[in-house]
């Protein structure tokens, strides 16, 4: 799987996230972690955890961290969605 694959998958999410959040998600995929070597759900969860650790590491941070927190939440949600989609592929 490549970053482009992750970005393409994110692009299929409905409803689509607001523009600012979408840009933050795309930035995270392109910049935060190496290209995914794990399954999509694990990679998305790892992105969310990385962003959440960044927010938690700045306890005096202000509103500028809000978008990172929203992105962390979105990645956690998307990790569950991806897992559910993969699970439905394996059901009889």
């Amino acid at each position: 799987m490549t970053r482009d694959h992750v970005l393409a998958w994110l692009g299929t999410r409905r409803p689509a996230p607001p523009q600012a959040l979408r840009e933050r998600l795309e930035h995270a995929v392109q910049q935060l972690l190496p290209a995914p070597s794990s399954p999509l759900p694990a990679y998305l969860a790892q992105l969310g955890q990385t962003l959440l650790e960044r927010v938690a590491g700045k306890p005096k941070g202000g509103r500028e961290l809000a978008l990172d927190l929203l992105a962390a939440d979105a990645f956690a949600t998307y990790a569950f969605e991806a897992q559910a989609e993969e699970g439905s592929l394996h059901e009889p």
Side-chain angles (χ1 to χ4, degrees):
M1 176 176 26
T2 66
R3 287 185 174 122
D4 288 339
H5 176 261
V6 175
L7 292 171
W9 186 88
L10 288 172
T12 66
R13 301 299 91 196
R14 296 295 177 261
Q19 178 72 25
L21 180 56
R22 186 173 65 245
E23 289 173 1
R24 184 64 189 110
L25 296 170
E26 291 171 358
H27 175 78
V29 170
Q30 295 169 347
Q31 302 294 323
L32 286 185
L33 298 175
S37 59
S38 55
L40 181 61
Y43 183 72
L44 294 169
Q46 187 178 15
L47 283 166
Q49 181 178 353
T50 299
L51 283 168
L52 189 56
E53 288 170 355
R54 181 180 283 187
V55 170
K58 297 179 181 179
K60 294 186 180 194
R63 295 178 59 95
E64 67 275 4
L65 296 177
L67 199 53
D68 281 347
L69 188 57
L70 288 172
D73 180 60
F75 279 125
T77 300
Y78 292 151
F80 284 112
E81 286 183 20
Q83 184 65 45
E85 288 176 9
E86 285 186 4
S88 68
L89 295 176
H90 302 292
E91 292 179 4

